[in-house]
């Protein structure tokens, strides 16, 4: 099983990024995929979750508006579009998988409690 986040980089405030989470070794449609981030000195926080079997998406309340999660089962890839980037978005961004998608209905603070698989993160730095 593999999940690999990519697409991070140095971006100016106000810019946009699309992160990718390439998956392999499992059937993407059977798993909910979540995006998380962890800033230096802070706890990891959930951003969004997707059930690629039907395209249902879920967002942490604090992440609604500038983040958009999407998926492509043909490419076994999940994306996270981040718009109007702010310096406080600077963090390592991770994707993770957990069987089923019922967990996406839980509060985002509980999402990362029992994830089955984690990928290596990708660094996003927002700075002028």
């Amino acid at each position: 099983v593999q999940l690999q986040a990519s697409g991070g980089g140095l971006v100016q405030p106000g810019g946009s990024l699309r992160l990718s989470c390439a998956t392999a070794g499992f059937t993407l449609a059977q798993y909910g995929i979540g995006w998380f981030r962890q800033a230096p000195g802070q706890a990891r926080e959930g951003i969004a979750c997707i059930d690629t079997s039907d395209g249902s998406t879920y967002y942490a309340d604090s992440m609604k508006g500038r983040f958009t999660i999407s998926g492509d089962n043909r490419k076994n890839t999940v994306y996270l579009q981040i718009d109007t980037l702010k310096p406080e978005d600077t963090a390592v961004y991770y994707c993770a998988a957990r069987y089923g998608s019922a967990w996406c209905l839980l509060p985002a603070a509980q999402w990362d409690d029992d994830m089955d698989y984690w990928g290596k993160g990708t660094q996003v730095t927002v700075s002028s």
Side-chain angles (χ1 to χ4, degrees):
V1 173
Q2 290 185 334
L3 294 95
Q4 180 62 60
S6 63
L10 174 63
V11 186
Q12 290 189 343
S16 298
L17 275 178
R18 188 176 80 157
L19 307 181
S20 298
C21 175
T23 72
F26 63 96
T27 303
L28 183 59
Q30 293 181 339
Y31 285 73
I33 304 297
W35 278 100
F36 301 81
R37 70 182 184 184
Q38 187 166 22
Q42 297 187 22
R44 186 167 56 202
E45 57 181 343
I47 301 170
C49 168
I50 186 169
D51 178 349
T52 60
S53 68
D54 63 6
S56 297
T57 58
Y58 309 84
Y59 295 89
D61 288 341
S62 62
M63 303 294 179
K64 292 177 181 177
R66 297 188 298 114
F67 297 85
T68 304
I69 191 170
S70 61
D72 187 337
N73 284 337
R74 294 171 301 172
K75 296 182 178 180
N76 292 319
T77 301
V78 172
Y79 305 96
L80 183 70
Q81 175 75 28
I82 315 173
D83 297 316
T84 318
L85 279 155
K86 304 176 180 181
E88 50 264 42
D89 293 320
T90 296
V92 179
Y93 285 70
Y94 301 89
C95 57
R98 181 175 170 183
Y99 189 79
S101 63
W103 60 272
C104 296
L105 297 171
L106 297 172
Q110 300 180 29
W111 285 352
D112 63 349
D113 288 348
D114 293 297
M115 300 304 290
D116 295 319
Y117 309 110
W118 286 91
K120 293 182 180 180
T122 185
Q123 175 72 47
V124 172
T125 302
V126 185
S127 175
S128 56

